[in-house]
Amino acid sequence: MRTSRTRLKAPWRAPAAAALAAAALAAIDPAVAHAHFALLEPACYSEQDDLGNPQKSAPCGQADPGMPVEPTGEVTTYVQGQTITLKIEEPIFHPGHYRVSIAPDPESLPPDPEVTPGSTPCGSTVIETDPKLPLVADGLLVHTTAFTGVQSVEIKLPDDLICDNCTLQVSEFMSNHGINNPGGCFYHHCATVTILPREGEPTGSGGGGGESGEGGAASSSNSNSSSSGTGDTGTASAGGGAGDGGGASTGDGGSAGADESDSSSSSGCGCRVGAAESPAIASVAGLLALGLLRWRRRR
């Protein structure tokens, strides 16, 4: 499998000057300072500048004013149930956390969760402790102080999810922050990914409309994260600048039902989950899947 290298554009000749200007803005009025992040892995679907722009507009930064998207054409390939590595860089800091979703296309991604205002309009939001597709992981890299470099976090893909050219979204919630226009309290990046069946596994006949499985577990390399207990509803609230960022418990790789027929979006992605099959059918399907996978590799 090949993970494509993310390419960052450099429209500013002096990135240090950009960081200095952002720090000065924050010193003048913290409420209007803007956090930014760059998606390094998997490869972002669009070109990014030094600050990771475009990234404000949901679901993929595709409608940021004055910043037209330049597609990279990069596709990252995984295997169902694989534990993958997410890498981000946050050149401008605000307290908050990250979440990851996967859907057949950008239009099928979940909306940003509701936010409860605090001392700023972006006070806190819930962290889903039991994520279900299209949400895969929530409460990642909870932080109340600036990162010291590139951050990595491992995420387990759902065991039954396979798809072709689907959309993986990484979004950042920022507390202690003013409202972005667009984007509200969130920034967004997307990656185009293909999730292949494990070798020897049946592909199943499930369609994209089947019941979704549970999201996978996540572990963080950030030593600054703090955590709090979950509420009665099974969610934890994440907030800002006083060191009260909430942590999320991990979900389990889940199983799911499926529709009778395959469905795919206009973008060509047919995300689906494996359906239950009899042993004989499963054996035949497994041999067919193995042959198809080997044929594709030879190409």
Side-chain angles (χ1 to χ4, degrees):
M1 291 175 293
R2 177 180 66 87
T3 300
S4 302
R5 181 171 60 88
T6 298
R7 295 169 292 175
L8 296 181
K9 294 166 57 184
W12 290 3
R13 296 297 183 184
L20 183 60
L25 180 62
I28 296 171
D29 187 353
V32 299
H34 294 268
H36 293 76
F37 83 100
L39 178 61
L40 306 182
E41 187 177 334
C44 191
Y45 92 116
S46 64
E47 300 282 2
Q48 305 171 74
D49 68 13
D50 293 328
L51 299 180
N53 295 315
Q55 60 186 301
K56 290 184 180 180
S57 53
C60 299
Q62 76 292 339
D64 286 19
M67 294 185 179
V69 166
E70 298 180 29
T72 61
E74 302 281 5
V75 179
T76 303
T77 301
Y78 299 119
V79 173
Q80 65 183 114
Q82 179 180 347
T83 297
I84 68 173
T85 299
L86 172 72
K87 290 185 179 181
I88 63 97
E89 187 171 24
E90 194 173 286
I92 301 180
F93 158 73
H94 260 284
H97 67 271
Y98 291 81
R99 64 202 317 255
V100 176
S101 302
I102 298 179
D105 50 66
E107 293 74 20
S108 301
L109 290 166
D112 295 328
E114 293 186 5
V115 174
T116 301
S119 58
T120 66
C122 299
S124 63
T125 189
V126 296
I127 291 177
E128 296 293 339
T129 61
D130 186 23
K132 291 180 172 59
L133 284 174
L135 184 64
V136 174
D138 199 0
L140 304 175
L141 298 172
V142 177
H143 60 293
T144 57
T145 58
F147 294 137
T148 57
V150 173
Q151 299 296 301
S152 297
V153 60
E154 292 187 339
I155 304 164
K156 186 180 183 302
L157 297 176
D159 287 326
D160 296 326
L161 176 65
I162 57 176
C163 67
D164 182 30
N165 288 336
C166 53
T167 301
L168 183 149
Q169 179 201 57
V170 181
S171 58
E172 177 192 11
F173 168 71
M174 294 163 294
S175 61
N176 191 25
H177 194 282
I179 296 293
N180 285 324
N181 182 24
C185 301
F186 295 84
Y187 280 94
H188 316 80
H189 280 304
C190 291
T192 303
V193 301
T194 290
I195 304 175
L196 299 173
R198 285 185 293 263
E199 189 167 350
E201 290 284 332
T203 60
S205 58
E211 182 180 342
S212 61
E214 296 182 5
S219 63
S220 169
S221 67
N222 174 31
S223 60
N224 295 322
S225 299
S226 61
S227 61
S228 62
T230 60
D232 293 338
T233 60
T235 62
S237 123
D244 57 348
S249 63
T250 58
D252 299 320
S255 59
D259 289 339
E260 290 288 332
S261 60
D262 288 339
S263 63
S264 61
S265 71
S266 59
S267 67
C269 169
C271 295
R272 56 193 184 277
V273 294
E277 303 179 58
S278 68
I281 296 176
S283 298
V284 173
L287 292 174
L288 289 174
L290 179 60
L292 176 60
L293 185 59
R294 288 177 175 173
W295 177 76
R296 291 178 64 179
R297 288 176 175 175
R298 286 197 297 269
R299 297 183 67 192

